[in-house]
Amino acid sequence: METFTPLIAGHAIAALFVLVLGPFQILRPRRDLAHRILGASWVVAMLGVCVSSFWIHDGSFSWLHGLALWTILCLVFALAGIRRGNVPIHRGFMVGSYLGTLAAFAFAALIPQRLIPRLVTSEPVVAIGTLFAVALTVLVWFVAVTRTTSRLQRDDAAAAVGS
């Protein structure tokens, strides 16, 4: 489709990354090095989604751009909260940012004139393939980070016991 510019494709792929990684990050019971690394990658992708959205418009801004600006502020509040040791503030703003992304995705996916439904109907293999590729990327990233950090923490614990 000619309407999927590199900017819009990058925006959509980053948004899919955020949507797929979010539940892994929110539902993980441990808050450890893996959580920080995965969280940092989630924040970078979320910032990519938000910032890129300001160049995606039809001459005027919509409520989605307001949501992007609010999400950037929420990320700042969440990071400031955790730097101060305030886990409830951090969790609230991060989960809220994720829920806002779900709302934006629902809007983008459920309105027939938007690009996502048009892509699904005109190029279903591309749409499903993209979703599968992003989901697989998130899964590989998640497994690599959690395994590597678990190994590092085990090695650190063993070194601490041995010294």
Side-chain angles (χ1 to χ4, degrees):
M1 291 180 76
E2 65 276 354
T3 54
F4 265 93
T5 64
L7 174 69
I8 292 172
H11 175 83
I13 288 168
L16 274 174
F17 182 88
V18 164
L19 287 170
V20 175
L21 181 59
F24 286 100
Q25 192 63 345
I26 292 168
L27 299 174
R28 261 185 98 242
R30 296 190 320 246
R31 303 301 184 230
D32 52 8
L33 180 60
H35 180 80
R36 285 188 224 115
I37 292 169
L38 293 167
S41 64
W42 188 88
V43 167
V44 167
M46 182 63 95
L47 286 172
V49 171
C50 292
V51 171
S52 66
S53 75
F54 294 110
W55 283 268
I56 302 171
H57 56 80
D58 58 0
S60 63
F61 292 110
S62 73
W63 67 271
L64 289 170
H65 298 98
L67 180 61
L69 186 57
W70 173 245
T71 300
I72 292 169
L73 288 172
C74 288
L75 294 174
V76 170
F77 297 148
L79 294 174
I82 203 61
R83 298 278 295 170
R84 290 189 170 100
N86 193 332
V87 174
I89 289 288
H90 174 75
R91 183 182 305 120
F93 277 109
M94 286 301 200
V95 170
S97 296
Y98 181 75
L99 294 175
T101 304
L102 282 176
F105 174 74
F107 176 76
L110 298 176
I111 302 215
Q113 296 80 13
R114 308 254 330 156
L115 287 177
I116 293 173
R118 290 190 342 215
L119 177 67
V120 169
T121 57
S122 67
E123 302 283 344
V125 173
V126 171
I128 293 167
T130 302
L131 176 60
F132 179 74
V134 171
L136 184 61
T137 300
V138 168
L139 183 61
V140 168
W141 177 238
F142 179 81
V143 169
V145 168
T146 54
R147 283 191 177 172
T148 301
T149 57
S150 289
R151 190 172 340 113
L152 288 172
Q153 289 170 336
R154 278 194 311 271
D155 292 349
D156 287 348
V161 169
S163 46

